[in-house]
Amino acid sequence: DQGVAKISATVVVELCNRRAMELLDLPAELMASKPTLVNVLAYLRARGEFQGASQEVLDLLRHSNGGVDQPQVYDRPRPDGRILEVQTVPIKGGGALRTFTDVTQRKQAEQQIRHVAEHDGLTGLLNRTAFSQALQAAATDVHRSGRGFAVLYVDLDGFKRVNDTLGHDAGDFVLQTVGRRMQEAVRSCDTVARIGGDEFIAYLGQLSDEQEAVVVAERILRACNQP
């Protein structure tokens, strides 16, 4: 299941197995000619292979030896949506062994687990723990950006009566609707969370003054007061 390439001390791709060619969409003719790693990277770059790569990976691949002189492991998204784990193991005397593993399913599973851990199961909003972490990061960023932020605490009056008279399904519908309306009322740079029961909270970032927060707060109230 693993793609393997052997790169010589002179940075020539001496061996590239079938799986590696499949994962990277490399033509057999090119690899049979024993090209330099620079030529292989140029071929891939021309096909948009590295459009989703991080700046760190791009800097690594720009080196004349393609980064084969040091051990490394990194994830690289491909244009087709798959994610490859690329590992480089230097060989004594020069050159390296580079492996390519399709970790798309594993990453999707990790992302799903992370989403469940960070979001409220009913409304899909951030939960209390994730919001607290986001707020700490935002507070730290304030010192760097010099712009203020606000936190809005939103509590639903009379919510218990909804559950008592109409049932919990109706109560769930109310909470989902309020969460959706709050998200629609805030700006793209803001974050909304449900922190428990009928309690919601919103982080408003990049504020110049208090009045900007008041405007968003009033917009939330208008949205939630609709039938």
Side-chain angles (χ1 to χ4, degrees):
D1 291 336
Q2 199 169 49
V4 179
K6 182 177 181 296
I7 302 159
S8 72
T10 55
V11 203
V12 170
V13 182
E14 295 180 334
L15 177 142
C16 183
N17 73 347
R18 185 183 303 171
R19 182 58 173 159
M21 289 188 283
E22 290 173 353
L23 290 173
L24 296 170
D25 292 328
L26 291 169
E29 299 80 13
L30 173 64
M31 304 318 297
S33 69
K34 297 192 183 305
T36 64
L37 181 59
V38 172
N39 287 342
V40 174
L41 294 177
Y43 173 86
L44 293 172
R45 190 177 290 110
R47 293 167 58 86
E49 178 70 29
F50 306 114
Q51 289 180 354
S54 66
Q55 189 59 48
E56 182 180 1
V57 171
L58 292 175
D59 292 341
L60 175 70
L61 295 176
R62 287 194 183 99
H63 290 174
S64 58
N65 64 0
V68 300
D69 57 344
Q70 51 188 318
Q72 297 194 6
V73 181
Y74 60 85
D75 292 336
R76 196 171 86 204
R78 294 209 62 243
D80 61 7
R82 289 182 298 163
I83 300 174
L84 299 184
E85 180 186 82
V86 183
Q87 181 169 0
T88 301
V89 181
I91 299 173
K92 187 176 180 179
L97 194 70
R98 181 165 285 175
T99 62
F100 306 89
T101 309
D102 189 341
V103 295
T104 308
Q105 290 185 336
R106 189 182 82 197
K107 292 297 179 180
Q108 289 174 342
E110 291 174 355
Q111 185 176 13
Q112 186 175 6
I113 292 171
R114 190 161 50 246
H115 181 87
V116 170
E118 295 177 349
H119 290 77
D120 172 53
L122 179 64
T123 62
L125 301 174
L126 286 182
N127 58 26
R128 179 193 294 268
T129 301
F131 183 83
S132 296
Q133 294 172 349
L135 186 59
Q136 289 175 0
T140 302
D141 187 60
V142 164
H143 298 291
R144 181 185 62 80
S145 67
R147 303 200 70 181
F149 69 90
V151 176
L152 307 180
Y153 172 75
V154 181
D155 176 70
L156 305 186
D157 292 340
F159 178 71
K160 184 176 183 299
R161 189 161 56 89
V162 175
N163 278 337
D164 291 345
T165 61
L166 300 175
H168 288 280
D169 286 345
D172 289 349
F173 177 76
V174 169
L175 294 173
Q176 291 168 334
T177 303
V178 168
R180 185 180 68 253
R181 291 183 181 182
M182 284 186 64
Q183 278 192 304
E184 293 171 350
V186 300
R187 306 160 306 165
S188 59
C189 60
D190 302 330
T191 302
V192 178
R194 180 187 175 213
I195 59 174
D198 62 350
E199 298 171 306
F200 294 81
I201 199 164
Y203 163 81
L204 312 181
Q206 303 179 21
L207 299 178
S208 300
D209 54 49
E210 183 179 332
Q211 186 56 35
E212 287 185 85
V214 172
V215 170
V216 178
E218 290 176 341
R219 199 156 62 227
I220 289 174
L221 289 176
R222 286 196 301 270
C224 292
N225 276 326
Q226 296 299 313

